[in-house]
Amino acid sequence: MRHFLTLNDFSKDELIEILNIAFDLKADLKNAIPNHKMKDKSLAMIFEKSSTRTRVSFEVGMTQLGGHALFLSSRDTQLGRGEPIKDTARVISRMVDMVMIRTFKQSDIEEFASYSKVPVINGLTDEFHPVQLMADYMTMIEYSKTDHPKVAYIGDGNNMAHSWLMLTSKMGFELSIATPKGYEVDESILNKALENAKISGAKITITNNPKAAVKDADVVTTDTWASMGQEDEKKQRELDFRGFCVDSNLMKLAKKDAIFLHCLPAYRGQEVSEEVLESSQSVIFDEAENRLHAQKGIMVWLDSHRS
């Protein structure tokens, strides 16, 4: 049995296999062809962090696959009342076919998975957001004009930056991450990515200069400067991140046909300008839709690899 906790747990071929399933499911949906590969299966969705896209995409995706999704907030489970994670995992996984968790600590979801009888999907933690990166890469494939793209990530060295490191190091393309000083990516995650890159041929650059990172990029992406749980740092971060807004001047340094990605929600005038967000280079809503298709691919693949 396999879980989907971080992209580092998968080979390049496996990630491509999942995306191929996602593309097939997307084509079926566009052509009004029913595809109930998860018929009568159930997905428990545990949310300790709020969400728009994650809840809607998983719930609708499971319905389209012929299954049922059950929403559980921290108010709806004993986790919110202090029940040990291992007990919750052993109970819930006896009643459902798959579990998706959106929470704070990566260690919590890993503990849950270690006691679960069914596949567990990481819907987001403070360290990684792997389902978002599958949607991002799916969008890159649809729009990119090169097999070896350069991606420029501008902003906080957070779970999105970490997930880009994992994706790049597995798939073998080029990634340049620009963060303000003091907001760099986690060193242990970077080292793992650099280790993977020796095998895949990926090129990874870390800098504090957004202009250098964006130069000749095929894809430019960013994320909010203050993630959930960091609201009290917002004012200080706005000061520290000056010069890191992806605006039209920064986009001009990328290739003319470069695309812009953002996992959303986006804060116009902070990490990205209104002009860039609404430009023809912005494919953020195709990217958001691809959360639905990519996650369906993940669920179908995991279900097919159950022992």
Side-chain angles (χ1 to χ4, degrees), residues 21-301:
I21 295 171
F23 278 117
D24 288 343
L25 291 170
K26 182 174 183 176
D28 285 348
L29 184 63
K30 299 299 183 185
N31 292 314
I33 301 172
N35 197 320
H36 295 160
K37 291 185 179 294
M38 300 287 286
K39 180 175 170 56
D40 297 328
K41 299 291 180 71
S42 56
L43 170 72
M45 305 185 301
I46 300 174
F47 285 87
E48 291 194 303
K49 280 189 171 184
S50 60
S51 167
T52 299
R53 280 151 292 276
T54 300
R55 179 179 179 180
V56 173
S57 54
F58 270 108
E59 191 163 339
V60 172
M62 196 62 174
T63 300
Q64 290 176 352
L65 290 170
H68 172 73
L70 176 66
F71 173 79
L72 298 167
S73 73
S74 58
R75 298 185 300 274
D76 302 317
T77 70
Q78 293 300 326
L79 277 174
R81 298 178 177 89
E83 182 177 52
I85 292 172
K86 61 184 180 181
D87 290 357
T88 301
R90 286 181 286 194
V91 170
I92 291 179
S93 66
R94 287 171 180 259
M95 300 178 181
V96 300
D97 300 285
M98 199 168 291
V99 179
M100 186 284 299
I101 303 176
R102 184 178 175 93
T103 188
F104 293 89
K105 296 179 181 178
Q106 181 72 18
S107 59
D108 285 352
I109 198 170
E110 289 175 356
E111 181 182 355
F112 191 105
S114 70
Y115 286 95
S116 175
K117 290 179 172 292
V118 299
V120 176
I121 300 171
N122 181 355
L124 176 143
T125 65
D126 287 348
E127 289 185 32
F128 297 107
H129 197 0
V131 293
Q132 178 66 55
L133 264 291
M134 293 297 281
D136 289 0
Y137 193 54
M138 192 174 180
T139 310
M140 284 172 57
I141 292 171
E142 291 175 328
Y143 281 93
S144 181
K145 297 178 174 62
T146 174
D147 293 331
H148 300 285
K150 175 185 176 181
V151 176
Y153 174 90
I154 310 299
D156 190 15
N158 60 12
N159 52 7
M160 283 299 295
H162 295 159
S163 296
W164 275 109
L165 282 168
M166 291 295 98
L167 180 70
T168 300
S169 69
K170 290 290 182 174
M171 305 311 292
F173 55 85
E174 182 177 355
L175 173 67
S176 186
I177 293 179
T179 68
K181 291 181 179 179
Y183 293 91
E184 289 86 359
V185 297
D186 183 274
E187 190 173 344
S188 64
I189 295 173
L190 173 60
N191 289 337
K192 172 54 75 172
L194 292 173
E195 182 181 325
N196 292 340
K198 294 177 183 178
I199 300 171
S200 69
K203 181 180 178 181
I204 297 171
T205 304
I206 305 295
T207 180
N208 300 119
N209 185 338
K211 292 181 179 179
V214 168
K215 184 173 173 55
D216 296 327
D218 299 282
V219 179
V220 180
T221 184
T222 187
D223 189 19
T224 178
W225 292 342
S227 300
M228 283 178 281
Q230 298 173 330
E231 288 81 5
D232 58 335
E233 304 173 22
K234 188 174 180 180
K235 289 185 177 180
Q236 183 60 49
R237 282 173 173 259
E238 288 178 1
L239 294 174
D240 295 342
F241 280 75
R242 283 179 178 174
F244 283 80
C245 177
V246 179
D247 57 19
S248 56
N249 289 328
L250 199 58
M251 284 297 294
K252 286 176 183 177
L253 300 175
K255 291 182 180 177
K256 289 184 178 180
D257 57 357
I259 60 172
F260 174 75
L261 298 176
H262 193 306
C263 63
L264 300 177
Y267 296 90
R268 291 161 168 81
Q270 293 187 21
E271 74 271 11
V272 59
S273 69
E274 173 83 11
E275 184 179 6
V276 168
L277 203 65
E278 298 293 346
S279 72
S280 60
Q281 290 178 285
S282 174
V283 294
I284 59 172
F285 297 113
D286 291 330
E287 175 190 7
E289 179 193 331
N290 279 338
R291 284 287 299 276
L292 170 68
H293 310 301
Q295 289 163 187
K296 286 166 66 176
I298 292 166
M299 290 189 288
V300 168
W301 191 92

Side-chain angles (χ1 to χ4, degrees), residues 1-2 14 17 300-307:
M1 185 178 68
R2 300 289 295 277
E14 287 173 332
E17 188 178 334
V300 168
W301 191 92
L302 289 175
D303 188 60
S304 69
H305 285 75
R306 289 184 62 177
S307 57

